[in-house]
Amino acid sequence: MQKLIVIGNGMAGMRAVEEILKRDANQFKITVFGAEPYGNYNRIMLSPVLSGEKTFEEIMINTPEWYAENDITLHVNAEVTEIDRENKIVKSANGIEESYDKLLIATGSEPFIIPVPGKDLDGVISFRDMNDIAAMEDAISKYENAVVIGGGLLGLEAAYGLQRRGMKATVIHLMDTLMERQLDPSAGALLKNELEGRGISVLTEANTKEIVGKDGRVTELHLADGRVIPADIVVMAVGIRPNVALAQASGLEVERGIVVNDQLLTSDEHIYSVGECVQHQGNVYGLVAPLYEMGKVLADHITGSDNAYQGSVTSTKLKVSGVDVFSAGDFSGGDDCEDVVLRDAARGIYKRVVLKDNKIQGAVLYGDTADGAWYFQMLKDEQDISDIRDLLIFGQAFASGGGASQDPIEAVAALPMDAEICGCNGVCKGDIVNAVNDKGLTTLDEVKAHTKASASCGTCAGLVENVLKATLGDAYSEVTVKPMCGCTEHTHDEVRAAIVEQELKTIPDVYQALEWKTPNGCSSCRPAMNYYLLCAWPGEYQDDTQSRFINERAHANIQKDGTYSVVPRMWGGLTNPKELRAIADAAEKFNVKTVKVTGGQRIDLFGIKKEDLPEIWADLNAAGMVSGHAYGKSLRTVKTCVGKEWCRFGTQMSMDLGVKLEKMAWGSYMPHKFKMAVSGCPRNCAEATIKDFGVICVDSGYQLSVAGNGGIHVRANDDLCLVKTEEEVLEYAGAYIQLYREEARYLERTAPWIERVGLEYVKSIVVDDEARRKELYARFTHSQSFWQDDPWAKAVNEEEAGAEFKPLAVMTAQAAE
Amino acid sequence: MSNWIEVGQVNDIPKLGARVVKSLRGDIAVFRTADDEIFAIVDECPHSGGPLSQGIVHGKAVACPLHNWNIDLETGDVLDPDHGCTRVIEVAITDGLIRIFVEAEATGTHG
């Protein structure tokens, strides 16, 4: 087997390796040297990590396990310092030496640091890798003012991320218009307005003269025109340049980048190079698509088949939520070029397509980028557009002859197989169609899992779904209502109805009656079934603890390190010295790592070992406290403000009412977590209008509202009605909860539930139909008579329930003898 | 010297559940399926180290409690669409008694 060494563990190198493995997994023994300490990650997704929209884990492309599975040796923290071309050996800074038959240099690029005074101060960084993100995270937590030098793609994403995380961000840009390499002045101006509207300061034609600091750390940035900008952190994002030092020192031919031919070979026939470090036919690239195209050609050549790299035409998008910018090709125009422009400043839409000889040379889209892929495909295909020219600017739907009503699925069906659908992961239509056909995929989630399409920034999810629909054709309509999971053809609603109508009372009964395909379900259907059964048959159904997630089984929250957190109930957010003392004692006794007040006005104790849970519960129980169900799909908390009792604006006794609501509803299991709040006046200090059920006290009574949440998609409550008395509040709340318990699908919170069934439907039952309201309330009260027992006390007192928390055995050193 | 260590009875583990065996090399998760088959694997999800013993057992697989990756209890392989594997530990059952095979250095010997 030949030895292949890859220098550089980034996107270009690893994509090339993936392509090689795809063609022939057994031709090379592969060794990778990476200067960073990680597996390889999606560098273009660092912006969403900074803005908090993604985690680092979510942008990992290949984990250490992937390297192991493919028998690839990965040296991390190992920067290569020497290539001995004569003996075909590479050496790293940390002393590793390996020999090669073929070598691939994928050292990428490094950020360009402008040589101004003060560039070496602490707090002056680039935006290139995880270390930079860490430095920014640090600044976010300590400082206020962020300055980003560079109003290009990367700079704007950095400014957006920092601003979104709470810093005051200023962008310093040398040119008179933002993203001038991708956008024309009109689109650049729209973008500037949008960013300024979001609170980011943008200074164009601003030339940095000096960075000034105090005690070694940056404090100010001085512009050539004399302006001084306060700066606690300065991010330089003015550009990148190919990282060629190693290649140069090794005597390879280097100009702006490492010079390669159409087969990606350098001036040494044993050494290839791909990515941002190379120069091909005079061009260097700084975007992801060309790297992927290079990877394919390299893999073909190195495994013995013919292919040639022809250079790449590129397109870009700005990854700033809610700002849609697309740009492709050359839009600089010229004498022989023609512009087709659509400008609608009021709607914030601008489109410009540059034509030459009836072919698209470039396109700039701002505000509506849905047709970006379509223009880009025609650009790459050099398609003659004369017959659709009159409608071209209105987009694919019009130009394809169907007018605005043209079916988007037909539009997708018309795309060629090599049309790119997901830019982040380089997935084309053919990849998705093949995966759907070969693996029998029927849902967007499955397509995402198998092809990675829309698994990164997600802007193409609609397009991916349309490809799925177009591929499945009639078969898709059969699966529009999703089955509960892979274990059955039945939907949540069907299973639920069957449980009630056929009086199914155990999980095996459900399997039997509905012909489950698996012997004991899966982690998706079992918790749902367990909930449906306990909701339908209170008092009768024997709860199946092995069908509950660990949080509910262990009555505590599992945390990322496998320890647990515990939250005792504090009715209405109230407590007293005795309870606080008990919590403090327990925190000390069990070495609690963090004590935190939750968003629902309770105290959370973190870092508890599973085997200590029964003991800490016993202590908290002894002080009169019960489980707060902070772990459950159940009533969590009722948040309150002080109300009339203390507040000069309060109109009703909001604390009392909060306690009453919590005492009524605690212990009830629900399709998902459920939170309530009571505010004593419309100033709404308890934030009752983003809760599943909210009460605002007013002079004339109680304003009830429902189905809000502060989750991923913040949703304010919908008004339900105004009632006069506390008794009515309890009745309406109980009836509403019971309707939700009986009709929502498992893991569906009240917000999506109401949006699915409609507020009017809920009102027609809970508000307008007194008889049904009272029935629902009665069923809720009946169910509560069985479920209001403290799971902590139960686990403490019952030997069998307690076994869960003890290890089965403890092996000591002597055990093996 | 024997490397087969007794850890408990089949009935000590709930059906479709798991218990933990603490060893010097880290926790081992011992699972019981609906058909009373017993499997043991290292109690660590290959994804981000989640304690597999705390997951939901279904068929001959367990769903990690942290991010719901599914792991085959027989082979230790992560099931599609994710990838990876965790180490399987040999198990022997005699008259309801569970023994697991532990490598010598895993428990340490006194020569």
Side-chain angles (χ1 to χ4, degrees), chain A residues 522-540:
Chain A
C522 69
S523 60
S524 171
C525 61
R526 283 230 314 275
M529 257 189 284
N530 189 51
Y531 168 74
Y532 293 150
L533 286 160
L534 76 79
C535 178
W537 314 112
E540 267 182 87

Side-chain angles (χ1 to χ4, degrees), chain A residues 375-578:
Chain A
Y375 290 121
F376 187 48
Q377 196 64 41
M378 289 191 288
L379 189 162
K380 282 200 288 191
D381 294 348
E382 298 179 24
Q383 190 179 323
D384 187 315
I385 50 82
S386 25
D387 54 335
I388 54 168
R389 186 179 163 130
D390 53 340
L391 293 168
L392 184 67
I393 200 72
F394 300 109
Q396 185 177 17
F398 266 95
S400 312
S405 63
Q406 200 224 6
D407 188 352
I409 296 172
E410 281 172 31
V412 164
L415 288 176
M417 282 299 172
D418 63 356
E420 185 176 86
I421 302 292
C422 170
C424 298
N425 292 293
V427 183
C428 65
K429 178 180 158 184
D431 299 331
I432 298 173
V433 171
N434 291 340
V436 168
N437 289 337
D438 297 350
K439 302 197 167 111
L441 313 183
T442 56
T443 67
L444 176 63
D445 283 345
E446 287 170 356
V447 173
K448 206 191 278 186
H450 284 277
T451 67
K452 303 288 180 210
S454 91
S456 291
C457 76
T459 50
C460 61
L463 204 52
V464 176
E465 187 151 30
N466 285 342
V467 174
L468 178 66
K469 286 178 188 166
T471 311
L472 290 177
D474 290 343
Y476 186 79
S477 58
E478 292 166 23
V479 297
T480 43
V481 184
K482 268 169 67 178
M484 213 159 143
C485 65
C487 304
T488 179
E489 306 293 348
H490 296 286
T491 63
H492 277 267
D493 295 341
E494 286 166 0
V495 171
R496 226 174 168 174
I499 286 173
V500 176
E501 281 157 21
Q502 301 179 40
E503 300 201 5
L504 309 175
K505 297 200 173 167
T506 66
I507 290 178
D509 284 353
V510 179
Y511 293 150
Q512 181 74 30
L514 299 180
E515 299 178 339
W516 230 247
K517 291 190 273 185
T518 48
N520 33 55
C522 69
S523 60
S524 171
C525 61
R526 283 230 314 275
M529 257 189 284
N530 189 51
Y531 168 74
Y532 293 150
L533 286 160
L534 76 79
C535 178
W537 314 112
E540 267 182 87
Y541 176 64
Q542 180 69 42
D543 184 33
D544 177 23
T545 51
Q546 297 306 335
S547 295
R548 285 182 180 264
F549 293 116
I550 183 61
N551 281 356
E552 289 184 2
R553 202 163 68 236
H555 314 302
N557 272 343
I558 193 166
Q559 303 297 344
K560 60 188 275 191
D561 63 351
T563 65
Y564 292 79
S565 80
V566 157
V567 182
R569 199 166 278 289
M570 284 180 185
W571 308 99
L574 295 162
T575 185
N576 58 43
K578 183 186 161 209

Side-chain angles (χ1 to χ4, degrees), chain A residues 689-757:
Chain A
T689 48
I690 49 160
K691 295 290 179 281
D692 296 282
F693 186 86
V695 182
I696 305 264
C697 301
V698 290
D699 279 326
S700 57
Y702 305 87
Q703 177 63 51
L704 309 182
S705 64
V706 296
N709 76 55
I712 297 171
H713 301 290
V714 179
R715 183 181 196 276
N717 287 31
D718 291 324
D719 283 341
L720 190 67
C721 61
L722 181 79
V723 297
K724 294 244 179 307
T725 65
E726 286 194 343
E727 288 66 39
E728 284 172 301
V729 175
L730 296 178
E731 181 176 306
Y732 280 71
Y736 171 72
I737 290 173
Q738 186 65 10
L739 187 67
Y740 169 61
R741 296 185 72 223
E742 290 180 2
E743 298 195 355
R745 295 165 191 160
Y746 191 66
L747 296 188
E748 183 175 47
R749 275 198 79 174
T750 56
W753 170 60
I754 290 257
E755 280 177 5
R756 179 164 64 82
V757 302

Side-chain angles (χ1 to χ4, degrees), chain B residues 71-86:
Chain B
I71 284 91
D72 186 317
L73 296 176
E74 272 182 309
T75 62
D77 288 340
V78 174
L79 299 176
D80 279 346
D82 303 307
H83 300 289
C85 71
T86 193

Side-chain angles (χ1 to χ4, degrees), chain A residues 11-12 99 129 137 162 174 287 302 312 344 359 386 398 483 499 542 600 618 667-668 722 763:
Chain A
M11 299 180 72
S99 65
D129 59 27
E137 297 269 354
L162 291 164
L174 189 59
L287 292 163
I302 206 170
S312 298
D344 184 343
K359 288 172 190 161
S386 25
F398 266 95
I499 286 173
Q542 180 69 42
S668 55
L722 181 79
K763 270 187 175 172

